[in-house]
Amino acid sequence: MSEMKTGQIAVVLTDDGGAERWIDTFSDEREIARLEQAIEGGEEFPLEQVYTLREKQKKEDDSFGDYVESLLSQPFIRPEIQSHGVAWMKSKLRIEEFRKQEQDAAQTIAEFALIQYWKNPQQSDFTLSGRDAEVRVRIFKLAKVVRGAMSA
């Protein structure tokens, strides 16, 4: 018997003139935690905290990627360094593909979860279960999404 895989997604909504509008979906645990911390901390624009975290991580990844590329472009690099650099780049490509697949899956799950939520809006934290996996869905409703964009 296989072990049950569990995950979590956050679906972010805002009030758009009386109707809830789907803004974003997160499946990364760090991003969900940052969103929750920002909301609990009374941040006026909690999504900005998540986007700032994401941008910082992207800059760090890009910087390290540039470093590895510069190492690999050296004419007299030791073979073991070259093989480690190539392995890292292959791994990075696999991780990027995995993240894309994860985001696509999160979007599909969010679409289904929103149908369930709109049937019962009091249910904003629930679990969807399948044969081998379950996903905790958390609905976050924000009054303000980003600076300069105010909801009704």
Side-chain angles (χ1 to χ4, degrees):
M1 178 148 182
S2 66
E3 189 174 311
M4 178 73 76
K5 296 176 185 160
T6 60
Q8 180 176 196
I9 68 168
V11 180
V12 181
L13 305 175
T14 191
D15 185 329
D16 191 14
E20 290 176 326
R21 185 168 52 100
W22 182 11
I23 299 298
D24 210 338
T25 301
F26 304 113
S27 59
D28 181 280
E29 298 287 333
R30 292 171 301 175
E31 291 181 352
I32 294 170
R34 179 63 60 96
L35 177 63
E36 194 168 31
Q37 288 171 344
I39 290 170
E40 289 174 359
E43 291 287 335
E44 190 173 14
F45 302 98
L47 277 180
E48 286 186 1
Q49 299 290 314
V50 177
Y51 296 148
T52 299
L53 172 69
R54 187 180 288 171
E55 188 60 34
K56 179 181 178 223
Q57 185 65 48
K58 183 180 178 339
K59 284 179 182 176
E60 289 173 3
D61 290 349
D62 289 348
S63 176
F64 189 73
D66 292 345
Y67 171 72
V68 171
E69 273 186 51
S70 72
L71 273 179
L72 292 176
S73 67
Q74 299 298 317
F76 301 105
I77 189 168
R78 291 192 337 238
E80 63 272 12
I81 292 175
Q82 185 177 35
S83 68
H84 288 305
V86 169
W88 179 86
M89 292 187 86
K90 286 180 181 178
S91 177
K92 183 176 188 247
L93 291 172
R94 286 192 299 271
I95 289 169
E96 287 174 5
E97 180 61 28
F98 173 78
R99 284 182 181 155
K100 167 94 173 81
Q101 290 172 354
E102 181 181 38
Q103 188 59 35
D104 290 346
Q107 290 297 112
T108 301
I109 293 166
E111 289 170 9
F112 180 77
L114 281 172
I115 292 168
Q116 303 309 308
Y117 167 75
W118 281 322
K119 288 179 184 175
N120 182 7
Q122 289 75 36
Q123 190 176 10
S124 61
D125 188 344
F126 55 94
T127 301
L128 298 174
S129 297
R131 188 177 66 228
D132 297 327
E134 65 181 24
V135 178
R136 179 181 179 196
V137 177
R138 300 177 65 200
I139 310 290
F140 292 91
K141 293 180 268 185
L142 305 178
K144 297 179 180 179
V145 181
V146 292
R147 289 184 207 287
M150 304 280 259
S151 303

